[in-house]
Amino acid sequence: MIADPERFIAEHTRIASAPLVPELNFHLADETIAIWQSTEEALGRQGLPPPFWAFAWAGGQALARYVMDNPDIVAGRHVLDFACGCAVAGIGAARAGAARVEASEIDPFAVIAARANAALNGVEIMAEEADLIGTDRGWDVVLAGDVFYEGPGAQRIAGWLDSLHARGCTVLIGDPGRTFLPKDRLEALARYDTPVSRDLEDKDVRLARVWRFAG
């Protein structure tokens, strides 16, 4: 059992920025397989998922860049950063003037990392450990980065996000070409060439797009 998650996160990461949002800082792991494996093994003994929260994935970065460059989308609004990871998208929304930012994750370590990253950037987000699929708290905007990488889960997420869009919520997706992205329901808004770690993505740059549920 890891008794002190905050210390664990601090010891396995360093404070760094991400390529698309150099004005923000995060607790990030050096993107090498060795560090990933050592962290994953420690968390695995506690029955927790791999440390996805220790990396600023391309889809989340694209969302953060897009809302910071287009603040009218989130300014004064109630925003959810769904499956937030390190909370790069939610922190970007807070910086862009969102009135309230919630962030959700099913990994308790990700929730702690999200809170720590928000504090690093001088913003407030309400991060919680929860599976919010199927719920609706009246969000004005939902941000979802890198969520369409697994078949059954992707279908469940897409149906829920589509229902939020249908009642008037703005649903933005950040995606670097994951297999199960429901492109037939989406409108492309922006594209970003995003430097990534070859250890994690098998390439040095990924094209990350921002999409909006449409129709």
Side-chain angles (χ1 to χ4, degrees), residues 75-141:
R77 307 184 81 187
H78 182 190
V79 177
L80 171 67
D81 183 359
F82 169 70
C84 67
C86 72
V88 56
I91 291 168
R95 275 288 189 92
R100 175 182 174 89
V101 179
E102 297 179 21
S104 70
E105 259 291 354
I106 58 173
D107 179 354
F109 272 66
V111 172
I112 293 166
R115 292 170 181 163
N117 289 332
L120 263 184
N121 290 282
V123 299
E124 182 178 356
I125 63 173
M126 283 131 283
E128 65 176 314
E129 181 187 349
D131 180 355
L132 294 182
I133 298 174
T135 66
D136 187 352
R137 296 179 181 169
W139 303 290
D140 300 308
V141 180

Side-chain angles (χ1 to χ4, degrees), residues 18 37 56 92 104 114 189 205-206 210:
Q37 288 177 338
S104 70
L189 299 178
V205 177
R206 268 199 176 274
V210 174

Side-chain angles (χ1 to χ4, degrees), residues 193-210:
D193 289 324
T194 312
V196 295
S197 167
R198 182 170 288 274
D199 287 340
L200 294 174
E201 297 279 15
D202 294 325
K203 56 182 64 179
D204 297 313
V205 177
R206 268 199 176 274
L207 174 59
R209 288 184 170 90
V210 174

Side-chain angles (χ1 to χ4, degrees), residues 21-63:
V21 284
E23 60 267 64
L24 303 179
N25 289 303
F26 305 91
H27 294 274
L28 300 177
D30 289 321
E31 295 182 319
T32 66
I33 293 298
I35 290 178
W36 174 281
Q37 288 177 338
S38 66
T39 310
E40 185 178 11
E41 288 165 5
L43 294 171
R45 290 193 294 271
Q46 195 165 322
L48 294 170
F52 298 113
W53 45 263
F55 303 90
W57 298 89
Q61 287 190 56
L63 284 170

Side-chain angles (χ1 to χ4, degrees), residues 59-83:
Q61 287 190 56
L63 284 170
R65 184 72 273 153
Y66 187 75
V67 298
M68 291 173 73
D69 289 344
N70 299 275
D72 288 351
I73 294 170
V74 297
R77 307 184 81 187
H78 182 190
V79 177
L80 171 67
D81 183 359
F82 169 70

